[in-house]
Amino acid sequence: MSQADAIALESVAKSFDGGRTFATHDVDLHITAGSFVALVGASGSGKTTLLKCINRLIEPDRGIVRIHGEPVNDRPAYEVRREIGYVFQGIGLFPHLSVAENIGLTPRLLGWPAQDIARRVGELLALVELPEDYGARMPDALSGGQRQRVGIARALAARPGILLMDEPFGALDPITRDTLGRACRRLHETLGLTTVLVTHDVFEAVLLADRIVMLEGGRIIADDTPHRLLTDPPNEAVRALMAMPMRQAEQVRRLIAAGPDGTD
C-alpha cells in the first residue's frame, strides 16, 4: 500500500452463487491519488462489481478494500459512501425532489447549514454548466444529458476526493456523451479528484483516462496507459480490444483523405 494510493484492492474476490463462479477473482489494484482510471471489459467481466466493492455497495467474500490506507469495513458503510461520489448509469435522481434538493441531499444529511447548502448547489450548477435557475426544476423537465449533469453535481456535493462513475454516459446520444465525458475530465482536473470510470467503450477510456485496467472473467488482463496498450498490447485479448479505436481512427482518416467525392 503506497502512501500515494487513494484506493487499494487487495485480493478482492466476490461470488454471487456461493463460490461456484466469481465475478471478481483475487483482484489486486492500486489507484494513485489524483489519477483518472478506466475499468474496461465486456458485460460480466467484473468491472461494476469492483466499483461497488470500493464504497461497500457490495461486500467482497474475501480480500480488503482500502481508502487512503484505511480498510473500508472498519467504518459504517454510510460513512464511507458519504466521502465518495458515485454516479450511476441510470442517473437515479429522486423524481419528487427539485434539482437543488437532489444536489443538496447529502450535505443536508450531513447537517450542513441551509445557506451553505444553497451556496454549494449554486457552485455545482455552475461547475456542471447548468443555469442557476435550473435548481428549481424537477428532474422530468430536464433532458437526459441535463439529468446526468445533475447526477454528477449531486455526487460532488459533499466535496469528496474520490469520484466513481458506473457507465455514466451509456444511455446518452453520441454528442451529449462526448460533451459530458470532456466535462467530467475537466472537473477531475479542476477539483483534483481521484476518478474511476467503468465503461465498456474502449474509445471512451482511451480519450478520458490516464490509465486503463482491462478485466476479463473477473481478472485483470492488462493495466497500463492508453498509449502503451494501443502501441504494445501485452496479449492477444488486449490487442483485439484495442484494435477497435485504432480501426475507427483509421477509418476517419481515410474518409478525410478521400475528399468530398470519395476519391483521393
Side-chain angles (χ1 to χ4, degrees):
M1 174 78 189
S2 166
Q3 292 298 318
D5 286 342
I7 302 167
L9 289 81
E10 302 169 0
S11 301
V12 169
K14 177 63 180 178
S15 172
F16 295 100
D17 61 4
R20 292 188 295 275
T21 58
F22 282 86
T24 63
H25 198 103
D26 295 331
V27 169
D28 291 298
L29 179 63
H30 294 259
I31 297 176
T32 305
S35 60
F36 193 126
V37 176
L39 304 182
V40 176
S43 296
S45 61
K47 53 191 187 296
T48 293
T49 299
L50 281 184
L51 198 75
K52 290 182 176 180
C53 284
I54 293 172
N55 73 341
R56 298 189 64 188
L57 285 173
I58 290 175
E59 301 287 355
D61 295 332
R62 60 176 181 264
I64 300 173
V65 178
R66 300 180 189 271
I67 300 297
H68 299 300
E70 299 297 323
V72 295
N73 55 5
D74 280 359
R75 293 188 296 154
Y78 69 87
E79 287 187 7
V80 175
R81 292 176 195 144
R82 287 178 181 176
E83 296 178 7
I84 300 173
Y86 199 106
V87 182
F88 297 88
Q89 180 179 9
I91 305 173
L93 299 182
F94 292 102
H96 61 289
L97 299 180
S98 70
V99 165
E101 289 168 333
N102 266 284
I103 295 173
L105 184 60
T106 298
R108 183 170 63 80
L109 292 172
L110 292 173
W112 289 25
Q115 64 269 26
D116 291 348
I117 295 174
R119 188 180 306 114
R120 183 61 175 160
V121 169
E123 291 171 355
L124 287 165
L125 286 171
L127 273 175
V128 299
E129 300 175 347
L130 287 175
E132 188 173 357
D133 61 6
Y134 273 47
R137 298 192 180 191
M138 303 303 288
D140 63 2
L142 305 180
S143 69
Q146 290 168 342
R147 287 195 298 271
Q148 193 59 289
R149 287 178 186 271
V150 175
I152 294 165
R154 183 179 62 181
L156 297 172
R159 298 188 176 91
I162 295 172
L163 180 64
L164 308 179
M165 299 192 291
D166 188 5
E167 297 277 9
F169 318 124
L172 302 175
D173 65 87
I175 293 176
T176 303
R177 181 173 186 146
D178 177 67
T179 300
L180 272 181
R182 288 185 285 110
C184 281
R185 180 70 210 200
R186 286 195 300 272
L187 287 172
H188 166 83
E189 294 170 356
T190 300
L191 301 176
L193 299 169
T194 301
T195 302
V196 184
L197 167 69
V198 162
T199 180
H200 66 274
D201 187 331
V202 178
F203 212 170
E204 183 170 79
V206 167
L207 293 176
L208 295 179
D210 306 316
R211 173 181 166 201
I212 297 175
V213 177
M214 291 190 170
L215 292 116
E216 184 178 272
R219 300 177 186 271
I220 294 174
I221 61 169
D223 180 354
D224 215 325
T225 64
H227 179 267
R228 287 288 300 274
L229 293 178
L230 285 166
T231 59
D232 188 24
N235 54 58
E236 284 305 312
V238 176
R239 188 183 305 277
L241 283 170
M242 301 307 293
M244 183 178 64
M246 297 284 281
R247 187 167 56 249
Q248 290 172 330
E250 181 57 35
Q251 287 172 338
V252 171
R253 282 195 294 268
R254 283 202 303 268
L255 285 170
I256 293 171
D261 60 355
T263 60
D264 291 332

